[in-house]
Amino acid sequence: MLNVWLVAGVLTAGMYGTAGAQCDGVRPTRDWSYQPLGSAAVTLWNPLLPGAGGELQVVAIGDSVVWGNGDKPGFKIVDLVGQQLADATRRPVHMTSWAHSGARLITNLGGVKSPIGTDGTPLGDLNAAELSITEQAECAAQAKPNAELLILDGCINDVGALNIALPLPFN
C-alpha cells in the first residue's frame, strides 16, 4: 500500500496577492480523472463534508516529489494517489497538478519556464524555476476554488547543495 502524506486544505484566490496575468493561459502539468475500480466499500470520506458526492476535486502543487519526476505516466504520485482516492472514496476523482521538477517556493526573476510539449502541456520532468510553488497556489486557487484536497510538497530546490554540504554558520 502506498503511504502518502496528504494535506487537506482550502485554496483561497489571492492568498499571496492577485494571481493576475501569470495564470492566464497557464496549463497544469497533469489534468486527469480517475474512476473507482472494483466494488469495495467506502473506506475514506471528507470529515468536513461527510455527505459529499460527485467528483472529488484534488489539487497538487509542488516540486519534483509531487510531480513524480522520472516516473512513467500512471506511476507518478498524482496518478497513484488519484486512483487510490477514487477507490477509497468510491467517487470519481479529478486530479489537477501544477507541480513540476525544479519548482521553487517563490518567484525566481528570470527563471526558466517549464518547456511546453506538443499537446500544450508543460513538461514537468524537465527542471524549471517557474511556475514557483507560490504561483502554482495562486493559479490553483483561481482555476479550482472548490477543491476538497490539496497535495503539497516543496522547498529542497531553495536549499541548494552548498547549504546541505556546508550548513550555517560555516557557509
Side-chain angles (χ1 to χ4, degrees):
M1 173 176 271
L2 177 69
N3 293 315
V4 179
W5 286 95
L6 299 177
V7 179
V10 176
L11 295 174
T12 305
M15 60 195 242
Y16 295 104
T18 44
Q22 87 243 11
C23 295
D24 292 344
V26 172
R27 293 184 62 183
T29 53
R30 191 79 171 115
D31 197 19
W32 197 255
S33 291
Y34 304 87
Q35 299 299 320
L37 301 175
S39 59
V42 173
T43 58
L44 183 66
W45 60 93
N46 184 342
L48 301 176
L49 298 170
E55 191 170 63
L56 172 60
Q57 296 290 322
V58 180
V59 167
I61 60 176
D63 57 20
S64 56
V65 173
V66 173
W67 166 245
N69 198 49
D71 293 331
K72 293 180 182 179
F75 294 93
K76 293 187 178 296
I77 193 93
V78 291
D79 294 322
L80 296 174
V81 170
Q83 187 60 60
Q84 287 190 356
L85 283 171
D87 293 344
T89 61
R90 306 309 304 156
R91 294 170 63 187
V93 171
H94 191 92
M95 176 73 70
T96 306
S97 175
W98 279 268
H100 63 86
S101 183
R104 299 178 63 100
L105 290 175
I106 58 173
T107 303
N108 182 15
L109 296 177
V112 178
K113 290 188 181 260
S114 292
I116 306 299
T118 56
D119 65 351
T121 302
L123 300 172
D125 279 323
L126 302 177
N127 280 345
E130 296 180 10
L131 294 172
S132 70
I133 295 170
T134 302
E135 291 167 333
Q136 292 174 38
E138 292 173 358
C139 294
Q142 182 179 338
K144 298 290 184 176
N146 296 322
E148 287 183 58
L149 189 64
L150 169 66
I151 301 171
L152 166 69
D153 174 72
C155 85
I156 193 63
N157 297 314
D158 296 278
V159 175
L162 181 61
N163 290 327
I164 294 170
L166 193 59
L168 286 172
F170 305 110
N171 67 4

